[in-house]
């Protein structure tokens, strides 16, 4: 595995829309492994492929230590409620903002074996799912930020 360089805010790459994964090649699997290593090394709880310079619809999330959720072509299929909490991004280290997000979401995605699955999460997991799915459409948390953190 390898730790990858993270693209930072201000780079136009982060505003691009990522393309769906049509075939899970060994290269995609390696990318996912490297994204997990990078996320952990940087102390984050989520990372999208665009953040390491790859415009593919892939994200990894680890809100609960040891429980990595790998999302390929994710789509949020349900959401409910509302939460207003602090949010940050590995592409904007040391900065945080207050955002409004759904309290709970359900996402449908493919795993690295090409199997479709659904996962539901609330609170931090729901925020992370929304945040990472936004990245795949070139959206950043500052777009939904109510105000910066004091
Ligand atoms: Ni981010």
């Amino acid at each position: 595995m390898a730790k990858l360089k993270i693209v930072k805010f201000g780079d136009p790459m982060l505003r691009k829309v990522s393309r769906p994964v049509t075939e899970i090649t060994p290269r995609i699997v390696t990318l996912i492994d490297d994204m997990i290593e990078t996320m952990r090394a940087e102390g984050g709880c989520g990372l999208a492929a665009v953040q390491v310079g790859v415009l593919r619809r892939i994200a990894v999330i680890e809100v609960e230590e040891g429980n990595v959720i790998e999302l390929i072509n994710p789509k949020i299929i349900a959401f409910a409620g509302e939460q207003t909490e602090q949010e940050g991004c590995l592409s904007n280290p040391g900065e945080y903002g207050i955002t409004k997000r759904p309290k709970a979401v359900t996402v449908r995605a493919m795993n690295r074996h090409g199997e479709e699955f659904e996962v539901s999460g609330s609170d931090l997991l729901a925020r992370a799912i929304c945040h990472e799915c936004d990245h795949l459409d070139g959206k950043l948390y500052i777009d939904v930020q109510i105000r910066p953190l004091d």
Side-chain angles (χ1 to χ4, degrees):
M1 295 213 287
K3 187 172 165 287
L4 306 171
K5 189 172 182 295
I6 295 183
V7 177
K8 297 299 193 306
F9 276 27
D11 190 317
M13 168 76 81
L14 291 176
R15 291 304 188 176
K16 295 193 171 165
V17 176
S18 295
R19 296 185 304 275
V21 174
T22 51
E23 190 191 355
I24 300 167
T25 59
R27 202 165 147 256
I28 294 281
V29 172
T30 300
L31 170 66
I32 294 170
D33 286 339
D34 290 347
M35 285 171 61
I36 293 167
E37 182 174 338
T38 305
M39 169 179 67
R40 286 177 163 164
E42 299 294 337
C45 64
L47 188 69
V50 60
Q51 291 181 275
V52 293
V54 179
L55 287 170
R56 288 290 177 173
R57 302 187 80 82
I58 302 169
V60 295
I61 293 173
E62 188 178 32
V63 160
E64 189 187 322
E65 201 183 324
N67 183 17
V68 176
I69 302 170
E70 302 172 355
L71 301 170
I72 300 171
N73 299 341
K75 189 173 169 29
I76 293 173
I77 55 169
F79 57 91
E82 197 177 277
Q83 56 174 320
T84 303
E85 288 292 343
Q86 176 180 322
E87 194 166 321
C89 181
L90 287 180
S91 292
N92 197 27
E95 302 288 331
Y96 299 91
I98 304 294
T99 60
K100 195 175 278 186
R101 297 285 196 185
K103 174 80 172 165
V105 302
T106 300
V107 66
R108 181 181 292 156
M110 214 160 56
N111 65 21
R112 64 168 69 200
H113 307 293
E115 300 154 346
E116 197 171 78
F117 69 99
E118 288 176 16
V119 62
S120 297
S122 59
D123 302 300
L124 178 56
L125 180 53
R127 291 207 299 283
I129 291 169
C130 293
H131 180 115
E132 299 314 328
C133 287
D134 275 356
H135 269 303
L136 307 183
D137 290 322
K139 275 183 72 179
L140 303 173
Y141 81 86
I142 47 173
D143 301 335
V144 292
Q145 175 175 290
I146 296 168
R147 59 179 168 84
L149 190 70
D150 300 328

